[in-house]
Amino acid sequence: SQQGEEDPQALSIQEGENATMNCSYKTSINNLQWYRQNSGRGLVHLILIRSNEREKHSGRLRVTLDTSKKSSSLLITASRAADTASYFCATSAGGTSYGKLTFGQGTILTVHP
Amino acid sequence: DAGVIQSPRHEVTEMGQEVTLRCKPISGHDYLFWYRQTMMRGLELLIYFNNNVPIDDSGMPEDRFSAKMPNASFSTLKIQPSEPRDSAVYFCASSFSTQGASPLHFGNGTRLTVT
């Protein structure tokens, strides 16, 4: 079963608007990562947040992590048409699952020019 | 750096045939992962290796699936015999271990169609 569940499943916005995607997970994690996948391509790593961090920024991306609620959010500010893609959260449990990532089902983001 | 290289990009085969997917990870990476992506089941981890040794193959669906990593620069995923339900996009990814907090680098996948 998938560890991470993204919400919403699909999001459609206009260029310049902000996009927020949420991820919930079930078990304790070592870190949580966000990936982007353009149509017909492999996944590309965006940002990693460790379990002892609450917020992280990278360019127009802002990620938050709430381990008490077992949830994370990805905010893309001032979206562009080029941000159109699927976005996945992935969790690493650490321990005996060292190095292993479990992915959610993803959010399909469409940014209209 | 050329990134993770997978071949072929597309494979169309008939049910019952053997299929071999290939992957060249990024040089210096010590973890290699095989994932399968379908609309119905999303991204599923099939198997992963550390330093060429299989660590967890619990995601391999059946004995028809096998994976090898004979050296640090090459891995194969074989399906024999193939079935229509194996149709999916198969991704290879690699990473460099840093206390479990390493991003995965994905190849562009092999789209497999079994008729």
Side-chain angles (χ1 to χ4, degrees):
Chain A
S1 63
Q2 298 294 332
Q3 162 76 314
E5 307 245 343
E6 283 93 341
D7 167 57
Q9 289 187 320
L11 181 60
S12 182
I13 60 175
Q14 294 296 127
E15 213 166 26
E17 294 180 339
N18 295 342
T20 300
M21 288 160 271
N22 303 297
C23 169
S24 60
Y25 56 91
K26 297 186 175 76
T27 61
S28 296
I29 61 170
N30 174 276
N31 65 78
L32 185 145
Q33 304 180 29
W34 284 90
Y35 288 78
R36 184 189 73 224
Q37 183 179 32
N38 289 90
S39 180
R41 305 299 294 270
L43 282 75
V44 174
H45 179 258
L46 294 176
I47 196 165
L48 180 152
I49 186 165
R50 297 175 190 268
S51 59
N52 61 354
E53 297 176 310
R54 291 297 168 256
E55 187 170 312
K56 206 159 183 182
H57 296 256
S58 176
R60 295 184 295 112
L61 305 180
R62 172 178 169 253
V63 169
T64 61
L65 179 63
D66 187 334
T67 52
S68 67
K69 294 181 179 177
K70 291 186 168 60
S71 67
S72 173
S73 67
L74 171 67
L75 169 67
I76 303 174
T77 60
S79 62
R80 306 165 181 168
D83 295 328
T84 294
S86 294
Y87 291 81
F88 296 86
C89 69
T91 53
S92 171
T96 56
S97 300
Y98 186 94
K100 175 180 173 179
L101 281 184
T102 305
F103 286 82
Q105 293 282 3
T107 292
I108 300 171
L109 173 66
T110 303
V111 182
H112 300 281
Chain B
D1 194 333
V4 175
I5 299 172
Q6 291 187 247
S7 64
R9 284 281 279 139
H10 302 274
E11 177 79 44
V12 180
T13 191
E14 292 183 347
M15 182 174 63
Q17 296 298 306
E18 177 180 296
V19 175
T20 299
L21 312 181
R22 297 174 175 79
C23 174
K24 177 179 167 56
I26 292 173
S27 177
H29 282 187
D30 57 349
Y31 278 86
L32 184 139
F33 304 80
W34 283 100
Y35 283 87
R36 177 171 69 176
Q37 186 177 38
T38 61
M39 289 293 292
M40 290 297 294
R41 300 176 67 90
L43 267 164
E44 301 174 277
L45 177 64
L46 300 177
I47 184 171
Y48 76 100
F49 297 82
N50 178 222
N51 292 321
N52 313 339
V53 176
I55 302 300
D56 184 347
D57 65 354
S58 59
M60 296 286 261
E62 301 167 34
D63 291 345
R64 299 184 295 106
F65 285 69
S66 63
K68 294 182 180 179
M69 192 164 186
N71 56 62
S73 59
F74 184 65
S75 177
T76 60
L77 177 68
K78 187 176 291 187
I79 308 172
Q80 165 63 15
S82 58
E83 296 182 3
R85 59 192 166 128
D86 301 331
S87 296
V89 181
Y90 291 81
F91 288 102
C92 174
S94 69
S95 71
F96 178 67
S97 58
T98 51
Q99 298 181 347
S102 299
L104 299 191
H105 297 258
F106 282 78
N108 281 323
T110 294
R111 181 174 294 277
L112 173 65
T113 303
V114 184
T115 60

